[in-house]
DNA sequence: CTGAAAGCGCTTACAG
DNA sequence: CTGAAAGCGCTTACAG
């Protein structure tokens, strides 16, 4: 038999569809007898309400779009996992939009999400140029990315993170630590802190940015060139993967870590922590970032026009391993 | 103005909703003039068809459920990324079900997916006990997991992988390499190959299974205990994270790699390759696994009752680093 | 306490 | 070539 519908349940229970619907939604007064009969029919038929039909009526689809560069990256994988868990706790389902590090796809996804009537969007991609977020009349929450005046952003304390990392490198004896980061723009708080701390110690900041779109092997080549050129005795990488490239370079070129080069990463995802527990890094509260983003979005869905106070940045922590 | 609907477009273009629908779906004969007027109205209003309403009519929602233990694990993150990319190419959207390594959630998700009328499911979780897959009257494709007679499974060549890893360890001089794996059951082809190769070389197989549900730090403790106890001079871990635990143990206890202990992992996800390029591992064709699973599912959705030939396993490759 | 009817935003026979 | 009407599977005023 085809998938049973409300009508089938009603027929079997000998009541109207209205009544079945009411039992399902626990709405209005129902005699216990009716309730029992309906529930029996539901069980017997293995009936399961059609969420699509429900979405069409109510204004809610129960769907939330999660937009990320790619879940192949452990940081985003973990973030998405945390968001999804939290979302599920609130009764929402996650439509995954893996942009594959590609700005064009992000714009397409934005369209698709609206066509599918998602109730809201959580986004954490790099392409601030992608238009559409401002036009979308949907609750949106950004993770670690400024999208516009009206879009709240959940993030770790990047200022503190940059400070902790740089201070630590200097405390461990580095006199010429360089910063490796994706893009060096004014909004890069980790870079800002690095510069401030370096200057405060009378050291010259040196920032190298490889760009988001750079293929991994090209990034590795850049990193190795920079490390060789600058004669850096310390590395602050704003993500762990880049820090590991520095580690690998040290291994290959016979430099000792941390004696010759001290290395500090950023993110501290569980995968990296498990695989390379010795890496000194700034641990982000990934779980909390995800949970907070989900909570904030759920709140905005419930009250789209409520004022949103700026989100205080979530605390980060220096985790010291043997690389520094 | 509220989100425009078909009616609004029709009114603006001065035609019936039927006509607009036909233009949208490019169905039947339309005069160029009409087509132009309708398209103009669509643009002016910024109309976007409601995917939910469409799903309710057609039998298709365009949604596919992806069920994985967790995308926080780089292997699954990468797999999901590949699946999603491929699915998007076929016009499908991905509903992400991150089971958080929890069997109960998997069963719930199965329910949820059916309620949401997904067109199919791709699953790659461990809990074979979870009932429901057989009852679900949906096209399902499994990745590296046997779910039932009628459910096709896409997988890497685990027999070959186990053989390659074990032969390699022995070739590199290991005489007492142990196997570290999640569960040691007859369906574990990597373990089977390990045993065969060991026996063929007159060596005694030693298998240690930590169990899927074991928290990471407990797993680490187990691994370290086993390595110390067995005096292994080689490690074949059926996933890279466990291999890295062995590496970390060697580092901590002052053993040289590969002279004292040779280490081989499994999976070779991009994240691990980037972070720890020196790790010898069996590289799985993650991209192909994802693409093939998506293609197979799309085919099954198109022809649910077609015979399915057993899937030939996809080739794996030994990647040699400095850990062996 | 329960039901008949309208409607969510579309598509698709069926007429013309 | 174009439109009026029924219907996808539900929910929700509105009656009774």
């Amino acid at each position: 038999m085809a998938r049973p519908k409300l009508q089938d349940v009603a027929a079997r229970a000998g009541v109207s569809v209205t009544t079945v619907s009411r039992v399902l939604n626990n709405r209005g007064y129902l005699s216990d007898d009716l309730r029992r009969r309906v529930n029996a029919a539901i069980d017997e038929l293995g009936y399961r309400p059609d969420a699509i039909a429900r979405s069409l009526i109510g204004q809610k689809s129960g769907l939330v779009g999660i937009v990320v560069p790619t879940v192949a990256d452990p940081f985003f994988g973990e973030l998405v996992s945390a968001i999804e868990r939290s979302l599920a706790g609130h009764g929402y389902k996650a439509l995954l939009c893996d942009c594959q590090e590609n700005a064009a796809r992000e714009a397409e996804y934005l369209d698709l999400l609206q066509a599918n009537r998602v109730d809201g969007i959580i986004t954490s991609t790099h392409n601030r140029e992608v238009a559409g977020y401002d036009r979308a009349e949907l609750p949106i929450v950004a993770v670690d990315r400024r999208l516009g005046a009206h879009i709240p952003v959940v993030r770790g304390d990047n200022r503190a993170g940059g400070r902790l990392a740089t201070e630590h490198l200097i405390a461990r004896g580095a006199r010429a630590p360089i910063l490796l980061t994706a893009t060096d723009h004014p909004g890069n708080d980790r870079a800002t802190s690095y510069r401030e701390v370096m200057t405060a110690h009378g050291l010259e900041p040196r920032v190298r940015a490889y760009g988001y779109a750079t293929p991994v092997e090209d990034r590795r080549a850049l990193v190795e060139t920079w490390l060789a050129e600058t004669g850096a005795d310390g590395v602050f990488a704003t993500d762990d993967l880049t820090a590991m490239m520095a580690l690998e370079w040290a291994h290959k070129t016979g430099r000792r870590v941390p004696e010759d080069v001290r290395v500090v990463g950023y993110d501290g995802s569980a995968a990296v922590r498990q695989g390379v527990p010795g890496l000194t890094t700034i641990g982000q509260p990934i779980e909390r970032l995800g949970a907070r983003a989900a909570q904030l979005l759920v709140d905005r869905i419930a009250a789209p026009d409520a004022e949103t106070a700026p989100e205080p940045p979530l605390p980060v922590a220096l985790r010291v391993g043997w690389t520094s």
Side-chain angles (χ1 to χ4, degrees), chain A:
Chain A
M1 156 162 173
R3 176 181 178 134
K5 44 177 155 174
L6 210 56
Q7 238 177 65
D8 302 318
V9 178
R12 175 145 202 147
V15 299
S16 72
V17 293
T18 309
T19 299
V20 180
S21 173
R22 267 198 285 259
V23 171
L24 245 27
N25 297 289
N26 204 16
R27 203 181 219 71
Y29 296 90
L30 288 314
S31 69
D32 278 0
D33 174 52
L34 259 195
R35 208 185 288 272
R36 215 167 305 128
R37 262 160 59 205
V38 170
N39 280 322
I42 288 176
D43 287 349
E44 288 162 24
L45 261 38
Y47 171 77
R48 218 189 308 274
D50 185 322
I52 299 235
R54 285 179 157 177
S55 316
L56 191 56
I57 297 175
Q59 56 285 47
K60 298 188 44 175
S61 65
L63 246 31
V64 165
I66 303 184
V67 185
V68 289
T70 173
V71 287
D73 180 311
F75 173 74
F76 289 107
E78 214 166 303
L79 180 65
V80 167
S81 179
I83 292 173
E84 205 262 12
R85 179 179 331 147
S86 190
L87 241 25
H90 290 287
Y92 286 92
K93 296 143 274 181
L95 213 49
L96 177 64
C97 301
D98 190 309
C99 296
Q100 318 280 346
E101 316 263 18
N102 175 337
R105 291 190 62 127
E106 182 167 2
E108 286 170 30
Y109 270 130
L110 230 53
D111 249 40
L112 181 147
L113 289 175
Q114 289 176 267
N116 281 274
R117 278 219 201 159
V118 295
D119 295 332
I121 296 178
I122 295 178
T123 178
S124 184
T125 50
H126 319 300
N127 327 292
R128 43 178 65 225
E129 311 76 24
V130 171
Y133 280 109
D134 38 343
R135 277 176 299 156
E137 294 178 11
L138 274 173
I140 298 182
V141 169
V143 179
D144 208 19
R145 172 187 181 193
R146 227 172 321 193
L147 281 176
H150 302 297
I151 299 180
V153 27
V154 173
R155 61 183 193 287
D157 193 341
N158 294 315
R159 294 302 298 262
R163 224 159 25 229
L164 282 171
T166 314
E167 295 281 12
H168 176 73
L169 282 168
I170 295 171
R172 291 301 167 113
R175 286 298 162 262
I178 69 170
L179 176 74
L180 300 179
T181 192
T183 57
D184 185 26
H185 65 278
N188 186 338
D189 288 340
R190 301 176 196 172
T192 303
S193 283
Y194 163 79
R195 286 200 167 87
E196 284 174 3
V197 172
M198 289 293 280
T199 306
H201 283 265
L203 302 173
E204 189 202 351
R206 282 179 304 175
V207 176
R208 295 292 182 277
Y210 49 78
Y212 281 120
T214 312
V216 154
E217 284 316 312
D218 296 357
R219 190 202 320 179
R220 185 188 298 279
L222 281 174
V223 164
E224 299 191 344
T225 307
W226 289 332
L227 290 175
E229 275 177 10
T230 57
D233 60 358
V235 175
F236 170 25
T238 58
D239 68 293
D240 288 334
L241 251 32
T242 304
M244 286 192 264
M245 287 181 180
L247 243 36
E248 187 67 14
W249 168 81
H251 184 87
K252 281 200 300 199
T253 60
R255 275 152 178 101
R256 291 165 307 164
V257 176
E259 295 81 354
D260 302 328
V261 193
R262 298 126 191 103
V263 177
V264 178
Y266 210 104
D267 286 344
S269 70
V272 168
R273 224 157 59 226
Q274 285 163 42
V276 194
L279 177 67
T280 297
T281 191
I282 305 297
Q284 293 226 66
I286 305 185
E287 180 70 35
R288 288 184 64 189
L289 285 170
R292 182 67 192 134
Q295 180 65 59
L296 208 54
L297 187 71
V298 169
D299 290 348
R300 297 208 83 190
I301 291 173
D305 300 318
E307 281 299 305
T308 50
E311 280 291 305
L314 266 25
V316 298
L318 173 69
R319 280 206 285 261
V320 180
W322 56 258
T323 66
S324 65

